[in-house]
Amino acid sequence: MIPLAIPNLTGNESLYLQECIQSTFVSSVGPFVNRFEEMVAKAAGTKYAVSTSSGTTGLHLALTTLGVKQNDLVIIPSFTFIATANAVSHCGASPWIFDISPDTWCLDAELLAETLSKETVQSEKGLIHKTSGRRVAAIMPVHILGMPCDIDPLIEIANRFSLPTVADGAAALGACYKERKLGEFFDCTVYSFNGNKTVTAGGGGIIATNDERLAKLARHLSTTARVGTEYHHDMVGFNYRITNVQAAVGCAQMERIDEFVSKKREIRHRYNENLRNMEGVGLFPDPAWSYNACWFSGLVLPQHYVVSESCEALKVLGIEARSFWKPIHLQPPYEGAPATSQRVAEGLWQRIITLPCSTNLNEHDQDYIISCIKTVLR
Ligand SMILES: *Cc1c(COP(=O)(O)O)cnc(C)c1O
């Protein structure tokens, strides 16, 4: 079976893990943690990088650091992995779920500007959602599938409505927007190093930021908010730090990030070139502003095809293909959350399949996958 996405661990991973064992630094202090943070800060284009135990805890911590509290609303797109919404819930807040743009599959900036103008009002407490009376505390756009969202209009809206921003860039390490690295734009950008991401640490996350105050506060909160060397804690903190063991794997992977991202882009290019002329088939978006990290590749099925049936047909041929994230507003925990109409997300999600795209996928296997798709979609 050609797998969907498996990690590529043929670099210094074993060597660095041995070093962890021999040095006894296996927990959340150790030389690999600092090195990992420096390497990711460089790739993100930020001065600071604070490591966390996962992308989800990174998002939760970033929102907390930006002041998201009980009962607040945080704006997210519907088309994302459930962790985006869960991070909001972990703050005691609720997501306000927006539809996506058909061109980018990311948070629709025009819809956002229009909806905020109509449905919110500024008060001493901040921006208030009129029908619920709840405070809108932040905007959390998602760089979907490793592709940067259209950042400029979102920053303009965030400034106009005085809203802090956290980007869920979980799978977008290595991507650029208008030739600048993604960490430069929003208040915080959070990356994930889960096993299926382009660069993995087994598990882990990073909050990247250029804001020294945010970086210090995030670090403080991530390590139980301890002050000094005694057991004195000045806030309700978390135990959210990455371990030296995870960071060791992360460092070995970061040494190869350029190679991995190039490979992901080659895989995407090869699928697109071979599938673009098939009747009714759509491609994943690739806007001109983006240097796309192409975390996942796949296609949009023609109208009358069913994802589960197409995946099953590919499985019989030895190919692992998958459906894509069910939008957040359709997930049981978020059925009651405020949401815009979801015309674009609902038209799209049941037509997307993701295809094998591990960084060690060879051209021969990829050509086999392409020929099988042509058979299955005939
Ligand atoms: C992977 C991913 C996450 C979660 O990261 P974890 O490290 O698995 O917690 C969040 N958001 C998006 C968009 C992701 O792709």
Side-chain angles (χ1 to χ4, degrees):
M1 181 76 88
I2 304 174
L4 186 70
I6 53 168
N8 183 336
L9 302 166
T10 52
N12 285 322
E13 288 81 2
S14 308
L15 183 72
Y16 293 172
L17 284 170
Q18 286 294 333
E19 272 183 55
C20 291
I21 306 290
Q22 274 152 17
S23 69
T24 76
F25 281 109
V26 292
S27 195
S28 58
V29 173
F32 286 116
V33 173
N34 304 339
R35 209 159 113 199
F36 180 61
E37 289 179 341
E38 279 164 27
M39 291 174 99
V40 179
K42 187 156 170 266
T46 56
K47 283 196 215 133
Y48 311 98
V50 178
S51 53
T52 55
S53 54
S54 71
T56 308
T57 56
L59 289 167
H60 179 202
L61 183 58
L63 289 168
T64 304
T65 304
L66 285 170
V68 175
K69 293 192 179 67
Q70 196 81 26
N71 215 32
D72 285 342
L73 294 177
V74 173
I75 290 161
I76 66 164
S78 55
F79 212 47
T80 184
F81 182 52
I82 193 85
T84 317
N86 288 347
V88 175
S89 297
H90 295 327
C91 297
S94 162
W96 184 4
I97 307 164
F98 279 67
D99 200 7
I100 51 167
S101 145
D103 304 326
T104 65
W105 301 1
C106 292
L107 183 59
D108 184 334
E110 229 169 282
L111 174 71
L112 177 62
E114 235 179 71
T115 308
L116 286 178
S117 301
K118 270 195 239 147
E119 298 186 16
T120 66
V121 59
Q122 284 288 359
S123 85
E124 288 138 43
K125 290 187 194 130
L127 191 70
I128 302 296
H129 180 238
K130 285 193 254 184
T131 52
S132 67
R134 296 167 88 167
R135 181 176 81 117
V136 184
I139 305 178
M140 186 154 60
V142 178
H143 300 305
I144 199 159
L145 291 158
M147 186 205 87
C149 64
D150 193 3
I151 296 174
D152 285 342
L154 293 173
I155 299 265
E156 190 276 317
I157 294 164
N159 290 339
R160 182 159 21 123
F161 291 91
S162 305
L163 290 171
T165 49
V166 179
D168 180 343
L173 194 63
C176 291
Y177 177 73
K178 300 184 178 172
E179 284 160 28
R180 288 163 62 196
K181 292 173 179 169
L182 293 188
E184 294 181 32
F185 296 95
F186 296 111
D187 294 327
C188 297
T189 300
V190 177
Y191 298 101
S192 161
F193 297 86
N194 185 36
N196 72 1
K197 298 298 195 274
T198 303
V199 174
T200 185
I206 284 276
I207 302 174
T209 180
N210 276 325
D211 186 322
E212 188 182 1
R213 187 192 66 85
L214 290 179
K216 277 192 173 149
L217 182 55
R219 194 176 292 285
H220 184 58
L221 284 169
S222 75
T223 47
T224 68
R226 187 159 88 166
V227 181
T229 52
E230 299 301 317
Y231 288 99
H232 178 69
H233 307 263
D234 65 350
M235 299 169 82
V236 180
F238 304 95
N239 177 11
Y240 272 1
R241 299 228 55 200
I242 203 168
T243 65
N244 202 46
V245 171
Q246 291 165 292
V249 175
C251 285
Q253 292 269 295
M254 284 303 293
E255 290 168 358
R256 299 174 70 190
I257 183 173
D258 293 344
E259 174 198 336
F260 286 170
V261 171
S262 301
K263 189 65 214 245
K264 288 278 192 186
R265 288 170 54 85
E266 274 168 35
I267 292 169
R268 172 75 66 87
H269 185 74
R270 200 174 185 86
Y271 279 130
N272 284 2
E273 287 315 296
N274 286 282
L275 301 173
R276 75 165 69 249
N277 293 323
M278 288 184 68
E279 185 77 20
V281 166
L283 303 178
F284 284 17
D286 205 359
W289 65 69
S290 112
Y291 180 82
N292 190 337
C294 297
W295 169 46
F296 264 88
S297 284
L299 53 86
V300 184
L301 292 173
Q303 283 289 359
H304 48 285
Y305 283 85
V306 177
V307 168
S308 57
E309 288 168 7
S310 302
C311 289
E312 200 48 47
L314 287 168
K315 193 171 158 195
V316 170
L317 296 164
I319 296 162
E320 188 186 9
R322 287 242 190 112
S323 59
F324 197 54
W325 300 321
K326 184 179 186 179
I328 302 298
H329 68 288
L330 300 175
Q331 305 281 4
Y334 297 105
E335 273 165 7
T340 65
S341 91
Q342 297 287 341
R343 192 178 49 82
V344 181
E346 284 180 4
L348 195 60
W349 76 277
Q350 283 173 305
R351 294 179 56 207
I352 295 177
I353 64 171
T354 52
L355 295 168
C357 58
S358 306
T359 54
N360 57 10
L361 179 69
N362 64 46
E363 287 181 4
H364 173 267
D365 282 354
Q366 196 177 358
D367 288 341
Y368 170 70
I369 296 163
I370 289 163
S371 75
C372 291
I373 291 166
K374 289 183 173 165
T375 311
V376 167
L377 298 185
R378 184 161 291 140

